[in-house]
Amino acid sequence: MLNFMENIEKLPLSSWVSDFTGWISDSFAFLFDPIKNEFGDGLESFADMLAAVPPVIVILIVAVIAFFLSGKRFGLAAFSVVGLLLVWNQGLWEELMLSFSLVLVASLLSVIIGVPIGILMSKSKVAENIITPVLDFMQTMPAFVYLIPAVAFFSIGMVPGIFASLIFATPPTVRFTNLGIRQVSEELVEAADAFGSTGAQKLFKVELPMAKTTIMAGINQTVMLALSMVVIASMIGAPGLGREVLSALQRADVGTGFVAGLGIVILAIIIDRFTQSFSLKKGTNI
Amino acid sequence: MPVIKVDGLSKVFGKNAKQALKLLEAGKTKEEILKQTGSTVGVNRASFEVEAGEIFVIMGLSGSGKSTLVRLLNRLIDPTEGHVIVDGEDLATMNKKDLLRVRRTKMSMVFQKFALFPFRSILENAEYGLEIQGMAKEERSQKARKSLEMVGLGNYIEQYPAQLSGGMQQRVGLARALANDPEVLLMDEAFSALDPLIRKEMQDELLDLQEKMKKTIIFITHDLDEALRIGDKIALMKDGSIVQVGSPEEILMNPANDYVEKFVEDVDRSKVLTAYNIMKRPETVNIEKHGPRVALERMQKEGISSIYVTDGKRNLKGYVTADDASTALRSDVTSLMAILKTDAPTVTKDTLMNAIFEISHNSPVPIPVVEDGKLLGIIVRGAVISALAGQGEVNLTHA
């Protein structure tokens, strides 16, 4: 048995993947280059714009939204104000805004891509059978691995960061959308059909509204994964709080690293509570 | 002309549908087919017709295929074989576009668990069927309001389904179905999820509404009492087949086979049989022509102790007893007017047996059955008891 394995040569799997990636990178350069340039420029100016807003105004807006989203309670608003003030005080405001804009754009794209795929999965058993293992693959492959093709396609900076987080963060939205729609009770679907709804009417007037809470839970997951990926993406030059952590790591500077990490935690908690309360709030009708 | 004509409608679940159909035609049972082909027979060559304005009840135990059958009617489930002809159009073979049109305009459905959309207000729920037809907001809202008012929910339009009780939720379900103004209403165990008192209330209300609307209603139920109460016609199902179709009385009095007989055994006859079923032709005397002598003669001939008195148009005037008549004869009274008694309690032909039982118990004379003042028949006490016991002669012809 052991000899048997020795007689087989090592499959050149890695070079296949490299060749394939190189081929994609070359063949689709016409697609990647404008994304890299135009989209990258757009992203940067968006991030700059966010960073240009005076911190006080941002903090106030966040506090007000937090107050209303959490059902007119002060807890989340107070935490947001204190947390954001701390980040500002530590001189990390610009990094925070950069990280936030990356998360925002990556999450939006994930949702825009993920929800339709989830809908497709819910409607077709075949699609579900094909897409499910792909999602498993995307989620279990170590996140760092995505950085390599991202660089090959989009060189370094914000765009490859977003690309990598798209791959890493989209699966929950897809899964939860599929799940949410499949969970809509059969009688409600029958009711929609019995009154003569078209497929689109059924989807938009019954299934999506019914699945909303579940889909929002998936989006919440996606946003959190996007945030974690944005930090990792600093290794390929994505700016923001992650880059501070990375440079502190390289200099073995515990203090700076901890402070930047704390900034990420604060951002994470605020985003998480925001998206969660949003989904809960929408769910109260049900 | 029937509104719905179902012809040889079958549904086989599973892969070997064609083979299963052949076996069905060869007379194999559901179990044998399941064993041989792995397919389940949902509905087995059902055929029936439903007339306009009729409440047609399909009744059977769970697993008898009644829910599948009703879903074949609006093609929520595609039939394996057979035809569903509604207003001359065959639903089983029509294309998607026509099917949507039929579902939108001709048939509506009411569901067992209400199937209301929880994120829509009561009004928006009732509007649903009209909304997907692309009707303008104002028009559909007006129609939905009207239909909600019809079921007594005019004041709840802003509420959400979760805020209403089960009975009220099903009224919304009914209003939603009625808002489309369909010809045919499919009701799938519509009242089964409600508690008994509310269920009875809803049955009454449905009957009241039906008086006004005259829709064609197909009502699915597993409850024979319910079927007998609201059905103009009842189809009994077993193992996917329709075993008997008939009026409630026919089903009850002449069960087609052992299965039906077993089914109806437990039914409380007093809740089903009416005065019409047990009354008999009365002996009468005419107040305009006859006097005490004729009355007494007839009573002696028939061996009865009292006789009903009518006028020439069979309008009930009262009754006279044998004692009074002979007293009158002796004192030379010639008119029945002087000895006429009017204290007999009357019933109508639709009065149920359990009500008659009470009355007959306290009445010294047979109970007259009266319609618009005219005497239709009389009920003697013995008839009540023997009918309750499941014996005796019973009228089955429809009134």
XYZ file of all heavy atoms in Angstrom, chain B residues 172-215:
347
model
N -61.247 37.258 7.796
C -60.391 38.001 6.868
C -60.088 37.121 5.655
O -60.147 37.574 4.514
C -59.074 38.434 7.546
C -58.211 39.204 6.550
C -59.346 39.284 8.760
N -59.801 35.837 5.936
C -59.531 34.912 4.837
C -60.716 34.838 3.881
O -60.553 34.839 2.664
N -61.905 34.829 4.465
C -63.120 34.776 3.654
C -63.295 36.083 2.874
O -63.595 36.075 1.674
C -64.313 34.541 4.585
C -65.640 34.156 3.962
C -65.492 32.906 3.120
C -66.684 33.925 5.058
N -63.057 37.197 3.562
C -63.195 38.510 2.905
C -62.201 38.638 1.759
O -62.520 39.154 0.693
C -62.980 39.632 3.912
N -60.988 38.142 1.987
C -59.964 38.210 0.941
C -60.414 37.420 -0.288
O -60.242 37.862 -1.421
C -58.644 37.633 1.480
C -57.540 37.628 0.458
C -56.232 37.155 1.056
N -56.301 35.761 1.499
C -55.285 35.102 2.041
N -54.139 35.715 2.229
N -55.413 33.851 2.417
N -61.034 36.259 -0.021
C -61.495 35.440 -1.140
C -62.688 36.082 -1.844
O -62.819 35.992 -3.054
C -61.862 34.049 -0.636
N -63.548 36.760 -1.063
C -64.750 37.339 -1.650
C -64.463 38.636 -2.392
O -65.220 39.031 -3.280
C -65.798 37.597 -0.564
C -66.405 36.342 0.053
C -67.331 36.708 1.193
C -67.149 35.548 -1.003
N -63.373 39.310 -2.013
C -63.068 40.615 -2.610
C -62.941 40.520 -4.127
O -63.282 41.443 -4.844
C -61.798 41.195 -2.002
N -62.455 39.386 -4.605
C -62.303 39.183 -6.050
C -63.628 38.979 -6.762
O -63.670 38.924 -7.970
C -61.491 37.911 -6.316
C -60.043 38.100 -6.025
O -59.688 39.021 -5.308
N -59.209 37.249 -6.575
N -64.680 38.788 -5.981
C -65.986 38.436 -6.511
C -65.899 37.225 -7.449
O -66.274 37.307 -8.618
C -66.605 39.640 -7.234
C -68.095 39.414 -7.455
O -68.682 38.639 -6.677
O -68.647 39.978 -8.409
N -65.399 36.117 -6.927
C -65.249 34.929 -7.771
C -66.578 34.198 -7.905
O -67.487 34.416 -7.107
C -64.274 34.071 -6.965
C -64.599 34.405 -5.547
C -65.057 35.846 -5.527
N -66.678 33.366 -8.931
C -67.883 32.539 -9.046
C -67.808 31.378 -8.073
O -68.802 30.945 -7.520
C -67.980 31.955 -10.461
C -68.436 32.928 -11.505
C -68.197 32.358 -12.881
O -68.613 31.212 -13.114
O -67.567 33.048 -13.706
N -66.586 30.866 -7.931
C -66.405 29.651 -7.147
C -65.523 29.945 -5.941
O -64.508 30.626 -6.048
C -65.732 28.557 -7.996
C -65.522 27.300 -7.168
C -66.559 28.259 -9.224
N -65.947 29.447 -4.806
C -65.180 29.608 -3.583
C -64.718 28.221 -3.149
O -65.537 27.333 -2.951
C -66.101 30.213 -2.522
C -65.525 31.102 -1.450
C -64.711 32.218 -2.059
C -66.654 31.674 -0.610
N -63.399 28.045 -3.035
C -62.891 26.771 -2.543
C -62.531 26.953 -1.078
O -61.740 27.828 -0.740
C -61.642 26.365 -3.331
C -61.786 26.274 -4.844
C -60.435 25.972 -5.479
C -62.786 25.210 -5.222
N -63.135 26.155 -0.229
C -62.850 26.302 1.197
C -62.248 25.010 1.727
O -62.928 24.009 1.858
C -64.128 26.676 1.948
C -64.756 27.945 1.378
S -66.190 28.545 2.286
C -65.451 29.190 3.764
N -60.954 25.066 2.023
C -60.241 23.864 2.447
C -60.231 23.775 3.965
O -59.444 24.443 4.613
C -58.812 23.904 1.897
C -58.016 22.686 2.329
O -58.636 21.653 2.634
O -56.779 22.775 2.375
N -61.087 22.956 4.517
C -61.198 22.800 5.975
C -61.213 24.164 6.646
O -60.552 24.379 7.659
C -59.995 21.998 6.512
C -59.880 20.635 5.877
C -59.981 19.511 6.884
O -60.470 19.747 8.001
O -59.583 18.396 6.538
N -61.985 25.063 6.063
C -61.901 26.463 6.461
C -62.192 26.689 7.939
O -61.650 27.596 8.546
C -62.838 27.303 5.604
N -63.046 25.861 8.526
C -63.418 26.113 9.924
C -62.820 25.086 10.886
O -63.097 25.109 12.068
C -64.949 26.110 10.064
C -65.636 27.107 9.173
C -66.910 26.869 8.681
C -65.000 28.291 8.813
C -67.540 27.793 7.855
C -65.616 29.213 7.993
C -66.885 28.964 7.501
N -62.001 24.190 10.364
C -61.513 23.086 11.200
C -60.569 23.538 12.300
O -60.436 22.879 13.322
C -60.807 22.045 10.334
O -61.708 21.543 9.386
N -59.890 24.668 12.098
C -58.933 25.110 13.104
C -59.599 25.946 14.194
O -58.929 26.416 15.108
C -57.811 25.908 12.433
N -60.901 26.129 14.089
C -61.589 26.979 15.064
C -62.234 26.120 16.146
O -62.585 24.972 15.914
C -62.671 27.795 14.356
C -62.174 28.619 13.173
C -63.352 29.246 12.434
C -61.218 29.691 13.641
N -62.429 26.703 17.326
C -63.053 25.894 18.365
C -64.558 25.752 18.073
O -65.141 26.535 17.339
C -62.755 26.443 19.757
C -63.285 27.827 19.955
O -64.510 27.987 19.874
O -62.484 28.747 20.192
N -65.188 24.711 18.653
C -66.528 24.309 18.211
C -67.564 25.428 18.183
O -68.330 25.539 17.230
C -66.916 23.243 19.228
C -65.630 22.688 19.690
C -64.637 23.812 19.663
N -67.571 26.272 19.208
C -68.598 27.318 19.238
C -68.418 28.298 18.092
O -69.360 28.652 17.397
C -68.511 28.078 20.563
C -69.265 27.431 21.714
C -69.102 28.257 22.976
C -70.734 27.296 21.355
N -67.149 28.743 17.911
C -66.856 29.691 16.836
C -67.130 29.027 15.493
O -67.615 29.655 14.556
C -65.373 30.121 16.883
C -65.014 30.644 18.261
C -65.085 31.156 15.812
C -65.642 31.937 18.607
N -66.815 27.724 15.411
C -67.025 27.015 14.160
C -68.505 27.071 13.762
O -68.846 27.371 12.637
C -66.580 25.557 14.313
C -66.496 24.831 12.992
C -66.166 23.379 13.167
N -65.039 23.176 14.068
C -64.718 21.997 14.571
N -65.432 20.939 14.259
N -63.705 21.886 15.381
N -69.356 26.811 14.744
C -70.783 26.808 14.458
C -71.253 28.197 14.025
O -72.030 28.349 13.084
C -71.534 26.363 15.716
C -72.969 26.055 15.459
C -73.531 25.121 16.510
C -75.037 25.000 16.347
N -75.775 26.246 16.620
N -70.697 29.196 14.712
C -71.033 30.577 14.372
C -70.633 30.886 12.930
O -71.386 31.500 12.172
C -70.256 31.473 15.336
C -70.809 32.834 15.574
C -69.883 33.564 16.531
O -69.745 33.089 17.686
O -69.280 34.570 16.137
N -69.444 30.433 12.571
C -68.956 30.695 11.214
C -69.797 29.956 10.170
O -70.042 30.467 9.084
C -67.491 30.269 11.075
C -66.515 31.084 11.877
S -66.327 32.775 11.283
C -65.371 32.516 9.795
N -70.220 28.739 10.533
C -71.081 27.983 9.612
C -72.374 28.751 9.360
O -72.801 28.924 8.216
C -71.404 26.606 10.191
C -70.221 25.664 10.215
C -70.474 24.469 11.124
O -71.513 24.369 11.769
N -69.500 23.571 11.204
N -72.965 29.242 10.450
C -74.197 30.015 10.294
C -73.964 31.226 9.417
O -74.764 31.555 8.548
C -74.709 30.475 11.668
C -75.276 29.312 12.465
O -75.608 28.298 11.824
O -75.368 29.418 13.693
N -72.830 31.872 9.692
C -72.561 33.091 8.953
C -72.341 32.807 7.474
O -72.770 33.565 6.606
C -71.341 33.781 9.539
C -71.495 35.258 9.478
C -70.519 35.932 10.402
O -70.463 35.548 11.590
O -69.800 36.796 9.925
N -71.665 31.698 7.222
C -71.442 31.314 5.822
C -72.786 31.079 5.123
O -72.998 31.525 3.992
C -70.579 30.054 5.743
C -70.283 29.573 4.331
C -69.357 30.547 3.626
C -69.667 28.186 4.330
N -73.684 30.401 5.842
C -74.997 30.138 5.255
C -75.754 31.446 5.004
O -76.393 31.619 3.971
C -75.804 29.207 6.158
C -75.273 27.767 6.224
C -76.026 26.959 7.275
C -75.377 27.090 4.871
N -75.639 32.377 5.963
C -76.278 33.684 5.778
C -75.711 34.400 4.562
O -76.440 34.946 3.732
C -76.058 34.565 7.017
C -76.963 34.158 8.164
O -77.852 33.322 7.913
O -76.768 34.663 9.281
N -74.368 34.420 4.505
C -73.716 35.078 3.376
C -74.149 34.434 2.063
O -74.421 35.117 1.083
C -72.195 34.956 3.505
C -71.484 35.982 4.392
C -70.018 35.648 4.516
C -71.641 37.379 3.800
N -74.223 33.123 2.089
C -74.571 32.381 0.883
C -75.980 32.754 0.406
O -76.226 32.819 -0.795
C -74.434 30.875 1.146
C -74.882 29.972 0.027
C -74.013 30.101 -1.210
O -73.134 30.945 -1.282
N -74.268 29.277 -2.212
N -76.875 33.014 1.348
C -78.217 33.467 0.989
C -78.137 34.688 0.089
O -78.863 34.812 -0.894
C -78.998 33.851 2.263
C -79.527 32.680 3.033
C -80.747 32.071 2.374
O -81.727 32.805 2.202
O -80.697 30.875 2.028
N -77.237 35.605 0.457
C -77.122 36.859 -0.296
C -76.308 36.675 -1.565
O -76.627 37.221 -2.609
C -76.433 37.920 0.571
C -77.262 38.389 1.732
C -76.482 39.435 2.531
C -76.547 39.163 4.022
N -75.409 39.669 4.770
N -75.206 35.915 -1.460
C -74.232 35.910 -2.558
C -74.548 34.890 -3.636
O -74.276 35.112 -4.791
C -72.844 35.605 -2.026
C -72.363 36.499 -0.939
S -70.696 36.029 -0.458
C -70.887 34.296 -0.136
N -75.051 33.745 -3.219
C -75.301 32.659 -4.163
C -74.047 32.271 -4.946
O -74.077 32.166 -6.171
C -76.414 33.042 -5.142
C -77.740 33.312 -4.463
C -78.472 32.038 -4.175
C -79.806 32.301 -3.502
N -80.032 31.449 -2.347
N -72.935 32.112 -4.231
C -71.726 31.630 -4.887
C -71.807 30.112 -5.022
O -72.613 29.467 -4.358
C -70.494 31.962 -4.026
C -70.300 33.426 -3.769
C -69.577 34.076 -4.903
C -69.380 35.552 -4.623
N -69.238 36.337 -5.841
